[in-house]
Amino acid sequence: MQVYEVAGLPETSPVPQVLAIGKFDGIHVGHQAILEQARHYLEPGTQFAVLCFEPHPSYVLTGDERYLKSLTPRQEKVRILAEYGVDALYIVRFDTAFASTEAEEFVKSHLARLHLKQIVVGRDFRFGRGGKGDVDALRTFASDIGIGVTVVDAVEENGAKVSSSHIRHHLGEGRVEAVEALLGRPYTMTGTVVHGDARGRQIGFPTANLGGTAEYVPPKSGVYAVTVEISRPTGHEHWFGVLNAGFRPTVSGQDFRIEVHLLGFNGDLYGETCRVSFLRRIRDERKFSGLDELKQQIQADCDTAREMLGLPPASR
């Protein structure tokens, strides 16, 4: 998949394209419905393209720093969209200048530069200065330059529209199973194992301290049952694990960390890339009287995780 980071859009595309447009924060089941609809228009000789925006428009328009974090930072978005067969990803730099683009100009000056066969968007798609452009305006402006527009209805879960904001809320409450239902897959964070305090190793439960995750929307502090995929030059390994997300109050931690203990693993992970997928929440993070009590609790957490995941008990 080709990734283009642009201030506007490239001057042209060499082949006809079917273009899905949206924020695609999370690539949840609603976004997936848009991608699936777009695929229906693909023919031999056409490309499947996606256009999204960075940083999140809500951050630029409101200054809300929560939107500096993403459910799917760029590396995650690229990986998932590639799995959907996307050929080209246009990442438009969203700033105050771009936000002032009039709706008609966005279509007739920007989108017109691409060799588009069809545009596919969600029902609530808005564009142009002040969000004045809606799907009816998109249809009108695109029709003027010979481009068709398909509008996909919102996907609902339990009577409510699936949205990235709902997923962010569930994640902030630690409801990772609800997040999985709306994403259509477990919530995932990818990072590189870096050196930590080595306290886990001292008490018999070595942990991998995952660095490079600051761009992700963090889950609620607590302990989770997870799966871990380790990417090595020789291939991929898959493990179950117990993950702590939080500030480590027992050892007076000051920064939010993602640390995971791999069940049954014995080896060195420093420098390795790991992808953790959140499956179940075990408990809240809390402060213990000392390392001995913490060790007992971690053992209990491992036992609970094994039970949740249907794994056999650990041999003592």
Side-chain angles (χ1 to χ4, degrees):
M1 181 173 68
Q2 293 292 318
V3 179
Y4 304 92
E5 183 175 7
V6 290
L9 288 175
E11 288 299 320
T12 186
S13 54
V15 295
Q17 293 184 324
V18 176
L19 180 69
I21 309 176
K23 299 184 184 76
F24 291 99
D25 180 27
I27 315 181
H28 54 60
V29 293
H31 297 140
Q32 292 164 33
I34 295 172
L35 296 174
E36 291 295 340
Q37 185 63 51
R39 283 210 279 213
H40 290 317
Y41 292 100
L42 294 175
E43 296 176 350
T46 60
Q47 277 192 337
F48 187 6
V50 168
L51 186 151
C52 62
F53 308 92
E54 287 185 5
H56 196 293
S58 294
Y59 169 69
V60 176
L61 297 174
T62 69
D64 188 340
E65 293 189 354
R66 290 177 299 177
Y67 287 96
L68 286 174
K69 297 181 181 294
S70 176
L71 296 168
T72 45
R74 184 182 298 189
Q75 62 173 355
E76 208 73 37
K77 191 171 293 183
V78 168
R79 178 182 67 84
I80 295 170
L81 290 176
E83 291 176 354
Y84 271 86
V86 173
D87 300 302
L89 172 62
Y90 299 114
I91 300 174
V92 178
R93 193 176 312 118
F94 195 92
D95 53 21
T96 53
F98 188 83
S100 68
T101 304
E102 296 295 342
E104 187 171 7
E105 180 187 357
F106 173 71
V107 177
K108 295 184 177 180
S109 295
H110 290 272
L111 295 185
R113 297 174 185 172
L114 297 174
H115 191 177
L116 298 183
K117 174 185 175 184
Q118 192 78 14
I119 297 171
V120 183
V121 295
R123 176 69 60 186
D124 59 353
F125 178 67
R126 310 289 297 193
F127 66 104
R129 182 196 294 268
K132 294 179 180 178
D134 58 11
V135 293
D136 291 330
L138 179 62
R139 280 194 176 107
T140 298
F141 298 145
S143 177
D144 289 344
I145 54 176
I147 301 172
V149 172
T150 298
V151 177
V152 179
D153 288 333
V155 174
E156 293 188 351
E157 178 79 13
N158 296 323
K161 185 187 79 170
V162 174
S163 70
S164 298
S165 59
H166 287 154
I167 295 171
R168 286 169 176 259
H169 178 69
H170 283 313
L171 196 58
E173 296 296 321
R175 295 190 288 262
V176 292
E177 291 175 82
V179 169
E180 180 175 352
L182 300 185
L183 289 177
R185 63 184 186 280
Y187 184 62
T188 300
M189 303 175 80
T190 302
T192 302
V193 179
V194 297
H195 288 275
D197 301 324
R199 289 192 177 92
R201 189 173 300 277
Q202 295 171 15
I203 60 176
F205 291 96
T207 59
N209 184 17
L210 207 61
T213 60
E215 290 184 283
Y216 287 86
V217 177
K220 181 181 181 181
S221 294
V223 178
Y224 298 85
V226 299
T227 57
V228 182
E229 179 182 332
I230 306 170
S231 299
R232 299 183 188 268
T234 54
H236 299 279
E237 300 176 15
H238 296 86
W239 296 84
F240 292 103
V242 173
L243 179 146
N244 187 83
F247 295 91
R248 300 154 292 117
T250 303
V251 295
S252 300
Q254 299 297 315
D255 56 332
F256 188 94
R257 290 189 186 180
I258 301 291
E259 298 180 324
V260 59
H261 170 70
L262 277 59
L263 300 176
F265 177 83
N266 184 20
D268 184 1
L269 289 176
Y270 291 123
E272 302 288 359
T273 298
C274 290
R275 179 178 298 126
V276 298
S277 298
F278 293 77
L279 303 182
R280 301 287 187 274
R281 181 176 173 84
I282 296 175
R283 63 173 175 84
D284 289 338
E285 187 180 42
R286 61 188 180 91
K287 185 174 183 177
F288 297 95
S289 61
L291 293 182
D292 287 342
E293 187 181 9
L294 175 61
K295 178 179 179 179
Q296 293 176 10
Q297 183 61 57
I298 294 175
Q299 182 62 69
D301 294 338
C302 291
D303 293 340
T304 300
R306 287 180 177 276
E307 183 178 351
M308 285 179 165
L309 300 174
L311 302 176
S315 57
R316 295 288 194 265

